Amino acid sequence: MGHWVAFNLGVLVLYPTVIAPMFNRFEPLQDEALRARVESLLARCGFASKGLFVMDGSRRSAHGNAYFTGLGRSKRIVFFDTLLSRLDAGEIEAVLAHELGHFHHRHVPRRIALMFAASLAGLWLLGWLSRRGWFYQGLGVTPAAGEFDATALVLFFLAMPVFGFLLRPLASWASRRHEFQADAYAAAHARAGDLVSALVKLYEDNASTLTPDPLHSAFYDSHPPAALRIGRLQEVR
Ligand SMILES: [Zn+2]
């Protein structure tokens, strides 16, 4: 388990500096006006930039986005070239402010801790179930003596999708809550109106419908429907 966590953390650190550059090209951001805007946003939010880059994301997908890397307050900011060509400077600033909101609220470490806790809980549940006769009988299996652990493992992984299905709305709810928090942060540090127009463009590009079925959305979507996010942002404006 410790190795698994170490591996995941290693990937988080190595991905931006070593792995991503193997697959994409990075160039320093040339646009001076945008540079100044981004630097000033970072200063307002208490961050410093360790370089602003443009990545040729258009080679693999049309999904426009931005991300930043680096531990601590000093960040390497990466914009997809598709984002830069699609959004204006204010919208780009608002999208970056949203991402900084995720960092400010420590959403990634929280998610990692939650995944880790869920894995531990799953292993504990497996150990507990493997010593319960009804677990085997309920699933119509009679393991031979000495085969309990192996049988439990197989049954557990067969039954897991059902548990996963039941937990899914909870995970989606937590993830959507994070999106709203990041939106609120963006509205406080950039212009809410810019984030609204950026969202409309990004949701269009990702071919997701602007008004999905609310029940389906509440169950499956890790991101709130655009209309809900825009509604909240307009209350702030
Ligand atoms: Zn987000």
Side-chain angles (χ1 to χ4, degrees), residues 118-119 121-127 129-130 135-136 139 149-163:
S119 308
L123 287 175
W124 177 85
L125 186 66
L126 173 63
L129 286 173
S130 70
F135 176 58
Y136 304 95
L139 291 161
D149 285 352
T151 311
L153 197 65
V154 170
L155 290 180
F156 186 74
F157 282 105
L158 286 176
M160 204 144 74
V162 178
F163 291 113

Side-chain angles (χ1 to χ4, degrees), residues 9 51 54 69 110-111 113 146:
L9 289 177
V54 182
T69 62
R110 276 163 195 251
R111 197 166 303 175

Side-chain angles (χ1 to χ4, degrees), residues 98-99 102 107 175 178-179 182-183 223 229:
H98 171 95
E99 298 303 329
H102 281 306
H107 288 158
S175 171
H178 287 177
E179 291 310 315
D183 281 351
H223 278 57
R229 291 176 70 182

